[in-house]
Amino acid sequence: MPRPLGELEDSVMTRVWKWNRPVTVREVLEDLQQERSIAYTTVMTVLDNLHQKGWVRREAEGRAYRYEAVSTRAAYSAALMNEAWTQSDNPAAALVAFFGMMSPEQREALRDAVRMVQGPEETPAPQNPATENPTAENPAVENAAVENPVGENPAATGGETGR
Protein backbone atom coordinates (compact mmCIF):
# COMPACT_ATOMS: atom_id res chain seq x y z
CA MET A 1 0.00 0.00 0.00
CA PRO A 2 1.47 3.35 -1.00
CA ARG A 3 2.25 5.90 1.64
CA PRO A 4 2.27 9.55 0.66
CA LEU A 5 5.76 10.90 0.18
CA GLY A 6 7.01 13.48 2.65
CA GLU A 7 7.79 16.99 1.40
CA LEU A 8 11.50 16.37 0.85
CA GLU A 9 10.89 12.91 -0.61
CA ASP A 10 8.40 14.44 -3.03
CA SER A 11 10.88 17.18 -4.03
CA VAL A 12 13.53 14.56 -4.75
CA MET A 13 11.12 12.24 -6.61
CA THR A 14 9.82 15.19 -8.65
CA ARG A 15 13.31 15.65 -10.08
CA VAL A 16 13.79 11.93 -10.70
CA TRP A 17 10.43 11.78 -12.51
CA LYS A 18 11.05 15.00 -14.43
CA TRP A 19 14.47 13.97 -15.72
CA ASN A 20 13.27 10.44 -16.53
CA ARG A 21 16.79 9.00 -16.43
CA PRO A 22 19.19 7.66 -13.81
CA VAL A 23 20.39 10.54 -11.62
CA THR A 24 23.14 11.03 -9.05
CA VAL A 25 22.85 12.48 -5.57
CA ARG A 26 24.99 15.41 -6.77
CA GLU A 27 22.57 16.25 -9.64
CA VAL A 28 19.58 16.23 -7.33
CA LEU A 29 21.48 18.21 -4.71
CA GLU A 30 22.50 20.94 -7.16
CA ASP A 31 18.94 21.29 -8.42
CA LEU A 32 17.46 21.40 -4.91
CA GLN A 33 20.04 23.99 -3.82
CA GLN A 34 18.53 26.44 -6.30
CA GLU A 35 15.48 26.53 -4.01
CA ARG A 36 16.86 25.84 -0.54
CA SER A 37 19.95 25.15 1.50
CA ILE A 38 20.39 21.39 1.83
CA ALA A 39 23.27 19.05 2.59
CA TYR A 40 24.62 16.34 0.31
CA THR A 41 24.15 13.74 3.06
CA THR A 42 20.49 14.71 3.43
CA VAL A 43 19.81 14.10 -0.27
CA MET A 44 21.81 10.87 -0.11
CA THR A 45 19.74 9.68 2.87
CA VAL A 46 16.46 10.58 1.17
CA LEU A 47 17.42 8.69 -2.00
CA ASP A 48 18.55 5.72 0.09
CA ASN A 49 15.21 5.76 1.95
CA LEU A 50 13.32 5.96 -1.35
CA HIS A 51 15.35 2.98 -2.57
CA GLN A 52 14.50 0.98 0.57
CA LYS A 53 10.81 1.85 0.13
CA GLY A 54 10.88 0.66 -3.47
CA TRP A 55 10.32 4.02 -5.16
CA VAL A 56 13.70 4.05 -6.94
CA ARG A 57 16.21 1.46 -8.04
CA ARG A 58 19.89 2.16 -8.01
CA GLU A 59 22.95 1.02 -9.88
CA ALA A 60 26.51 1.46 -8.70
CA GLU A 61 28.69 3.77 -10.75
CA GLY A 62 32.18 3.89 -9.29
CA ARG A 63 31.81 4.87 -5.63
CA ALA A 64 28.38 6.42 -6.15
CA TYR A 65 24.93 5.30 -7.25
CA ARG A 66 22.62 6.38 -10.02
CA TYR A 67 18.95 6.34 -9.01
CA GLU A 68 16.00 5.77 -11.33
CA ALA A 69 12.25 5.85 -10.66
CA VAL A 70 10.53 2.48 -10.47
CA SER A 71 7.18 3.92 -11.61
CA THR A 72 5.78 7.16 -12.96
CA ARG A 73 4.29 10.07 -11.04
CA ALA A 74 0.95 9.20 -12.65
CA ALA A 75 1.15 5.65 -11.25
CA TYR A 76 2.07 7.04 -7.81
CA SER A 77 -0.88 9.47 -7.90
CA ALA A 78 -3.24 6.73 -9.06
CA ALA A 79 -2.10 4.44 -6.24
CA LEU A 80 -2.72 7.19 -3.68
CA MET A 81 -6.20 7.88 -5.08
CA ASN A 82 -7.02 4.17 -5.09
CA GLU A 83 -5.77 3.81 -1.51
CA ALA A 84 -7.89 6.75 -0.33
CA TRP A 85 -10.94 5.50 -2.21
CA THR A 86 -10.71 1.94 -0.90
CA GLN A 87 -10.25 3.21 2.69
CA SER A 88 -13.63 4.96 2.54
CA ASP A 89 -16.61 3.37 4.24
CA ASN A 90 -18.72 4.75 1.39
CA PRO A 91 -16.66 4.69 -1.84
CA ALA A 92 -19.52 6.06 -3.95
CA ALA A 93 -19.85 9.10 -1.67
CA ALA A 94 -16.09 9.61 -1.77
CA LEU A 95 -16.15 9.59 -5.58
CA VAL A 96 -19.09 12.00 -5.74
CA ALA A 97 -17.33 14.37 -3.35
CA PHE A 98 -14.09 14.07 -5.35
CA PHE A 99 -15.86 14.74 -8.66
CA GLY A 100 -17.55 17.75 -7.07
CA MET A 101 -14.14 19.23 -6.28
CA MET A 102 -12.95 18.91 -9.88
CA SER A 103 -12.68 21.80 -12.29
CA PRO A 104 -14.49 21.53 -15.64
CA GLU A 105 -11.11 20.78 -17.25
CA GLN A 106 -10.45 17.98 -14.78
CA ARG A 107 -13.91 16.49 -15.39
CA GLU A 108 -13.24 16.55 -19.13
CA ALA A 109 -9.90 14.81 -18.55
CA LEU A 110 -11.78 12.21 -16.48
CA ARG A 111 -14.27 11.67 -19.32
CA ASP A 112 -11.36 11.23 -21.73
CA ALA A 113 -9.70 8.74 -19.39
CA VAL A 114 -12.91 6.71 -19.04
CA ARG A 115 -13.27 6.63 -22.83
CA MET A 116 -9.67 5.42 -23.14
CA VAL A 117 -10.20 2.64 -20.60
CA GLN A 118 -13.59 1.55 -21.92
CA GLY A 119 -12.84 1.92 -25.60
CA PRO A 120 -15.11 3.66 -28.08
CA GLU A 121 -17.50 0.73 -28.48
CA GLU A 122 -18.25 0.60 -24.76
CA THR A 123 -18.75 4.33 -24.15
CA PRO A 124 -22.50 5.00 -24.06
CA ALA A 125 -23.60 8.10 -25.94
CA PRO A 126 -25.53 10.63 -23.83
CA GLN A 127 -29.21 10.25 -24.63
CA ASN A 128 -30.64 13.10 -22.61
CA PRO A 129 -29.41 16.00 -20.47
CA ALA A 130 -30.06 14.02 -17.29
CA THR A 131 -27.13 11.72 -18.10
CA GLU A 132 -24.78 14.66 -17.52
CA ASN A 133 -25.82 14.52 -13.83
CA PRO A 134 -24.51 11.21 -12.44
CA THR A 135 -27.18 11.18 -9.71
CA ALA A 136 -30.14 11.65 -12.06
CA GLU A 137 -30.67 7.97 -12.91
CA ASN A 138 -28.47 6.19 -10.38
CA PRO A 139 -29.98 5.86 -6.90
CA ALA A 140 -26.75 4.40 -5.49
CA VAL A 141 -24.81 7.50 -6.50
CA GLU A 142 -27.68 9.74 -5.39
CA ASN A 143 -27.69 8.09 -1.95
CA ALA A 144 -23.91 8.33 -1.78
CA ALA A 145 -24.08 12.03 -2.51
CA VAL A 146 -26.64 12.58 0.22
CA GLU A 147 -24.42 10.67 2.67
CA ASN A 148 -21.34 12.69 1.71
CA PRO A 149 -19.23 12.86 4.86
CA VAL A 150 -18.50 16.55 4.23
CA GLY A 151 -22.23 17.18 4.50
CA GLU A 152 -22.49 18.63 1.02
CA ASN A 153 -23.84 17.28 -2.23
CA PRO A 154 -21.35 18.34 -4.91
CA ALA A 155 -23.49 16.79 -7.65
CA ALA A 156 -26.45 18.93 -6.64
CA THR A 157 -24.42 22.13 -6.49
CA GLY A 158 -22.89 21.83 -9.91
CA GLY A 159 -19.47 20.86 -8.57
CA GLU A 160 -19.14 23.68 -6.04
CA THR A 161 -17.96 22.53 -2.64
CA GLY A 162 -18.94 25.67 -0.82
CA ARG A 163 -15.37 26.36 0.25
Side-chain angles (χ1 to χ4, degrees):
M1 297 202 183
R3 181 182 65 78
L5 296 173
E7 182 183 338
L8 186 53
E9 289 174 324
D10 186 66
S11 292
V12 170
M13 280 306 300
T14 294
R15 281 143 180 91
V16 175
W17 282 318
K18 179 178 74 173
W19 294 330
N20 197 27
R21 62 172 172 77
V23 299
T24 64
V25 172
R26 176 77 50 205
E27 290 172 310
V28 175
L29 171 71
E30 289 173 358
D31 199 55
L32 283 170
Q33 285 180 331
Q34 294 176 18
E35 298 172 6
R36 65 202 287 177
S37 178
I38 190 165
Y40 181 93
T41 53
T42 302
V43 177
M44 184 174 64
T45 299
V46 169
L47 279 164
D48 185 59
N49 290 343
L50 289 167
H51 175 256
Q52 290 179 23
K53 292 176 182 180
W55 288 106
V56 295
R57 63 179 148 256
R58 67 184 180 194
E59 191 171 313
E61 184 177 275
R63 293 177 37 203
Y65 288 106
R66 283 203 173 265
Y67 296 86
E68 185 174 19
V70 169
S71 66
T72 64
R73 179 178 278 285
Y76 165 70
S77 297
L80 288 178
M81 288 188 286
N82 186 57
E83 176 74 11
W85 182 59
T86 58
Q87 294 283 328
S88 173
D89 60 348
N90 189 337
L95 285 173
V96 169
F98 180 64
F99 296 156
M101 294 175 195
M102 295 174 118
S103 69
E105 295 80 16
Q106 290 170 319
R107 285 193 295 275
E108 187 58 35
L110 176 64
R111 285 185 202 97
D112 292 344
V114 168
R115 282 191 287 272
M116 288 171 47
V117 170
Q118 290 180 335
E121 67 282 348
E122 296 181 43
T123 305
Q127 297 180 356
N128 63 51
T131 60
E132 284 297 310
N133 179 350
T135 65
E137 296 178 8
N138 188 339
V141 172
E142 184 174 312
N143 292 338
V146 171
E147 298 170 9
N148 181 338
V150 177
E152 300 167 345
N153 184 343
T157 61
E160 295 298 320
T161 62
R163 295 183 188 182

